[in-house]
Amino acid sequence: MLRFSTAGESHGESLVALLSGLPSGIPVDQSFLDHELWRRQQGYGRGGRMRIERDTAHILSGVRHGHTIGSPIAMTLANKDWKNWEEILPVAEGDPDKHKAVASPRPGHADLAGALKYNFPDARYILERASARESAARVACGAIAKMLLRSLGIEVASHVTRVGTAELSREATFAEIAALASREDVLLACVDPESEARMKAEVDTALRTGDTIGGIFEVVVHGLPPGVGTHVNWDERLDGLLAQAVMSLQAVKAVELGRGVTAAQSPGSQVHDAISYAEGDTGTFTRFTREHNNAGGLEGGMSNGEDLIIRGYLKPISTLRRPLASVSFASREATKASYERSDVCVVPAAGVAAEAMVALTVARSVLEKFGGDSLLELQRNYQGYCAQIKSF
Ligand code: EPS
């Protein structure tokens, strides 16, 4: 089974990622991996930390001569900021006078629940692990999952469809969304310049007022055949797995598949995607075609051959320059929530992290269905199935 886990604190020495269960023979492109990490660091509204970090994944194992070898892949991502934190956050006891408490919990962050749960006098250790810095390690794993999917012709991309009240005003094609990944100025990762200008204005307002702003990103999976995932067991349904994977990202508060939200207020005749059939080579995978994709490529917990569409709804970052009311851990007196430095808007970055989570989730379901210890074996199984459904 494809599995990954991460370790590391936001201001510790390094993030660590461990990815196992991949077949041998997948070409691993270090520059693609680092470009994915770079994309996650971009976006209008990121804070001072991103001027310090320049993420790169140092691969320690599982890849030799440019290809996976089937064994677990271990990676480290050094935190450049560590040099400023060595005395504040040492592994050994160190000098307590140099430690830096997170003295009053930030509403919306993990601070209060975490300090209570782990019995810490302040929220420093909670912040360190709850921070979205961790998502860099997920992006490193996701980049390798993307390389696997790419060798089967499956692509994953994301764009921003809303920042605050500013919404993308038109439909986007997959080609437009995919092209965003090679943009030099990510700005707000929106395919439409006019909509993006309105989104930027929302970030500017938040910046000016010491506030933060959330939004919506959309991840699209293109080129996935029907039948990945299954309806037969609740914990193998691809829709449920995707929802969990994206919801697990820092600051995501809702996940929508296809037209999930507005479907709840519309009659079935306007929601479900009518099916047609044409002899000849019309559809990509089968001769069954759809005019619409309101289902977001998922029916019955399985892919249906249309693009997967997964939207993540991001709350505004909970570290505010004009902090909300809170309580001092030490005195229990009313005070303002702690503030160090923070981002104002992270919707494009969260979209990149969500691409990674989606790629890892789809790759796991693909490997479960098609199996194979080498890429050659996987591709043979995959192509055999594609030929089977084409002649269904
Ligand atoms: C974060 C706070 C900020 C963000 C950080 C997430 O970090 P710092 O407190 O060091 O300024 O920059 O995100 C990252 C470091 C990153 O790589 O995404 C938080 O508290 O969640």
Side-chain angles (χ1 to χ4, degrees):
M1 179 157 84
L2 185 69
R3 276 178 300 211
F4 81 98
S5 59
T6 73
E9 284 83 43
S10 182
H11 304 102
E13 187 172 351
S14 184
L15 295 170
V16 179
L18 191 62
L19 174 65
S20 65
L22 285 170
S24 67
I26 305 165
V28 173
D29 176 350
Q30 179 79 46
S31 62
F32 173 73
L33 209 169
D34 288 343
H35 183 68
E36 290 288 283
L37 293 169
W38 175 84
R39 289 178 60 222
R40 195 203 66 90
Q41 295 189 273
Q42 306 309 303
Y44 189 70
R46 299 229 63 186
R49 179 76 184 271
M50 288 308 115
R51 286 193 284 277
I52 299 172
E53 302 298 340
R54 181 71 179 91
D55 290 336
T56 177
H58 179 55
I59 300 175
L60 296 169
S61 70
V63 181
R64 298 293 157 193
H65 308 126
H67 292 80
T68 59
I69 58 171
S71 52
I73 298 173
M75 292 178 275
T76 57
L77 290 83
N79 287 324
K80 291 212 163 49
D81 205 17
W82 167 240
K83 62 178 185 305
N84 305 315
W85 288 80
E86 281 184 61
E87 291 189 321
I88 304 170
L89 208 60
V91 172
E93 178 60 24
D95 176 357
D97 289 341
K98 299 213 162 117
H99 300 179
K100 207 160 138 188
V102 176
S104 48
R106 292 160 295 170
H109 216 282
D111 297 349
L112 179 57
L116 291 167
K117 176 176 166 70
Y118 289 93
N119 193 30
F120 295 138
D122 75 86
R124 166 55 62 199
Y125 305 141
I126 304 304
L127 173 154
E128 288 297 329
R129 183 63 187 159
S131 161
R133 177 89 195 122
E134 184 264 349
S135 65
R138 304 198 203 194
V139 169
C141 294
I144 297 176
K146 279 187 178 183
M147 294 179 215
L148 166 91
L149 294 174
R150 204 170 263 185
S151 58
L152 301 174
I154 303 163
E155 299 284 334
V156 183
S158 77
H159 66 137
V160 170
T161 62
R162 176 187 277 271
V163 171
T165 59
E167 208 173 359
L168 171 62
S169 57
R170 63 170 177 86
E171 297 278 310
T173 65
F174 182 75
E176 281 180 308
I177 300 167
L180 290 170
S182 48
R183 227 164 101 161
E184 271 172 32
D185 181 356
V186 168
L187 199 56
L188 286 155
C190 179
V191 298
D192 177 57
E194 184 274 326
S195 308
E196 195 166 50
R198 284 187 286 107
M199 292 175 182
K200 183 170 175 288
E202 295 263 341
V203 181
D204 287 333
T205 304
L207 257 167
R208 209 173 42 245
T209 55
D211 218 322
T212 56
I213 193 91
I216 305 174
F217 59 78
E218 182 175 89
V219 180
V220 183
V221 181
H222 186 71
L224 187 68
V228 175
T230 175
H231 61 295
V232 302
N233 286 309
W234 71 269
D235 54 353
E236 294 168 68
R237 291 181 64 111
L238 185 56
D239 48 5
L241 293 168
L242 287 166
Q244 200 273 332
V246 175
M247 186 68 100
S248 76
L249 282 164
Q250 296 84 351
V252 171
K253 294 299 274 185
V255 180
E256 179 184 26
L257 304 176
R259 255 195 62 184
V261 171
T262 55
Q265 70 203 25
S266 312
S269 56
Q270 285 169 30
V271 169
H272 300 299
D273 308 310
I275 302 169
S276 52
Y277 182 84
E279 289 294 349
D281 218 20
T282 49
T284 313
F285 295 105
T286 73
R287 293 182 184 127
F288 297 91
T289 56
R290 314 281 184 131
E291 205 177 314
H292 304 288
N293 182 20
N294 292 333
L298 289 152
E299 288 171 311
M302 287 171 275
S303 60
N304 67 3
E306 302 297 311
D307 284 358
L308 302 191
I309 298 176
I310 304 118
R311 271 185 284 277
Y313 289 60
L314 218 65
K315 67 182 176 185
I317 292 290
S318 48
T319 309
L320 304 184
R321 205 149 36 82
R322 284 211 346 244
L324 293 176
S326 185
V327 172
S328 157
F329 278 117
S331 69
R332 310 293 151 116
E333 280 167 13
T335 183
K336 295 287 183 192
S338 291
Y339 177 78
E340 276 170 18
R341 72 182 159 201
S342 84
D343 305 305
V344 171
C345 174
V346 292
V347 188
V352 176
E355 284 175 43
M357 292 307 290
V358 167
L360 285 156
T361 305
V362 170
R364 193 177 102 179
S365 293
V366 161
L367 287 172
E368 272 167 16
K369 174 158 175 54
F370 300 105
D373 296 306
S374 66
L375 181 60
L376 186 72
E377 190 182 359
L378 171 67
Q379 283 172 329
R380 196 166 57 231
N381 297 344
Y382 182 80
Q383 283 153 9
Y385 172 76
C386 288
Q388 176 196 314
I389 57 171
K390 192 99 197 170
S391 60
F392 172 87

